[in-house]
Amino acid sequence: MDDRTVIAFVASDADVAQTALADLTARYGQTRVEDASVIVALGGDGFMLDTLHGTQGRGLPVYGMNCGTVGFLMNEYALDNLPARLVAAEEEVLNPLRMTADCADGTTREALAINEVSLLRAGPQAARLRISVDGKLRLSELACDGALVATPAGSTAYNYSAHGPILPIGSDVLALTAVAAFRPRRWQGALLRKSSTVRIKVLNPEKRPCMAEADARSVGNVLSVEVRSEPGVSHRILFDPGHGLEERLLREQFA
């Protein structure tokens, strides 16, 4: 970033984020996203994901300031010295996952996910899933609440709460993780190459319906999902020096 940074501020609906928006725009002014050279997002991780998805294709870096709860993708909020922080910020480039979901009504739905794509039970009974990787059957039947594929950036989110591994940024690896696996009991998930294509098929979907989610955007009555990395789409995220994703992922493993 240079010192001629033109900032577009965006904020979640939370009161604290709206107050921050008013304070920051009073201090630094406001620019339309179409005319900006950087976006400053005020909120939590969920709002950061929404901002990245909503500005996809513009090529603009996004600098988040935490006005939410966890804030793993955000920097610390401060009113002062924002232009200097933007100039000094370090950039991480993330490729999302592309989900292709085949539905019971015959439609196919696509979506991109920066954190993870998950296939989850949508009824009272456990899901029964069949998993293939790069066209080869790897697990003929997994009885579980669901399964997910996570990126390194998303590995500390739902993946981590499902006891999946934390992945280093830049590792070119994806995590395939079961959610509350019942059988096989000893299956601990898998680490896959970033270039892998994962296909998860729902067994007996009439009795055991499932839904798919791509960063919390849901698709119901899913028969199968295909998940792969999408190298044609890039998201640029800015972090204060020494507080980038690599350092945050490392700290998380020693918490």
Side-chain angles (χ1 to χ4, degrees):
M1 308 300 297
D2 60 35
D3 57 4
R4 296 185 297 275
T5 296
V6 180
I7 307 171
F9 293 97
V10 295
S12 73
D13 293 332
D15 290 343
V16 63
Q18 289 296 313
T19 298
L21 176 64
D23 292 342
L24 288 163
T25 54
R27 173 77 65 91
Y28 301 107
Q30 176 66 299
T31 304
R32 298 188 312 163
V33 170
E34 294 83 355
D35 301 322
S37 61
V38 63
I39 298 170
V40 173
L42 308 170
D45 283 343
F47 183 73
M48 182 61 156
L49 292 176
D50 289 342
T51 301
L52 292 169
H53 285 300
T55 59
Q56 178 185 309
R58 295 189 178 277
L60 296 176
V62 180
Y63 179 90
M65 286 205 283
N66 190 21
C67 298
T69 51
V70 178
F72 187 80
L73 297 173
M74 315 300 277
N75 299 284
E76 183 179 353
Y77 175 77
L79 179 61
D80 298 328
N81 302 316
L82 179 58
R85 292 175 72 181
L86 292 173
V87 170
E90 300 171 348
E91 182 174 306
E92 302 275 4
V93 178
L94 306 178
N95 299 121
L97 299 171
R98 181 174 293 278
M99 176 189 78
T100 303
D102 294 327
C103 302
D105 62 3
T107 62
T108 298
R109 303 278 297 277
E110 290 196 352
L112 296 175
I114 296 166
N115 273 0
E116 76 278 318
V117 171
S118 55
L119 184 62
L120 305 169
R121 71 173 186 173
Q125 293 184 302
R128 295 191 183 275
L129 308 177
R130 179 169 293 161
I131 300 176
S132 300
V133 180
D134 294 330
K136 185 172 183 177
L137 180 63
R138 292 297 183 182
L139 200 57
S140 60
E141 184 172 321
L142 172 66
C144 57
D145 281 354
L148 62 87
V149 179
T151 65
S155 64
T156 60
Y158 191 9
N159 172 73
Y160 192 40
S161 68
H163 307 291
I166 295 178
L167 306 177
I169 291 294
S171 59
D172 289 335
V173 171
L174 302 175
L176 173 59
T177 301
V179 179
F182 179 65
R183 286 196 180 92
R185 292 185 184 275
R186 295 179 180 271
W187 192 64
Q188 299 296 311
L191 296 178
L192 308 174
R193 294 176 302 172
K194 183 179 178 180
S195 60
S196 298
T197 297
V198 180
R199 186 171 185 82
I200 307 175
K201 180 180 180 180
V202 180
L203 304 179
N204 199 0
E206 297 82 5
K207 183 179 179 181
R208 302 172 185 273
C210 288
M211 59 182 287
E213 291 195 344
D215 283 351
R217 288 170 295 173
S218 300
V219 179
N221 295 315
V222 170
L223 302 180
S224 67
V225 295
E226 183 176 279
V227 185
R228 61 178 176 83
S229 182
E230 180 49 81
V233 177
S234 297
H235 295 287
R236 302 167 62 194
I237 307 182
L238 300 177
F239 293 99
D240 292 330
H243 297 277
L245 278 178
E246 185 173 357
E247 172 61 23
R248 292 171 190 227
L249 289 168
L250 188 60
R251 283 204 311 263
E252 194 73 23
Q253 295 177 81
F254 291 92

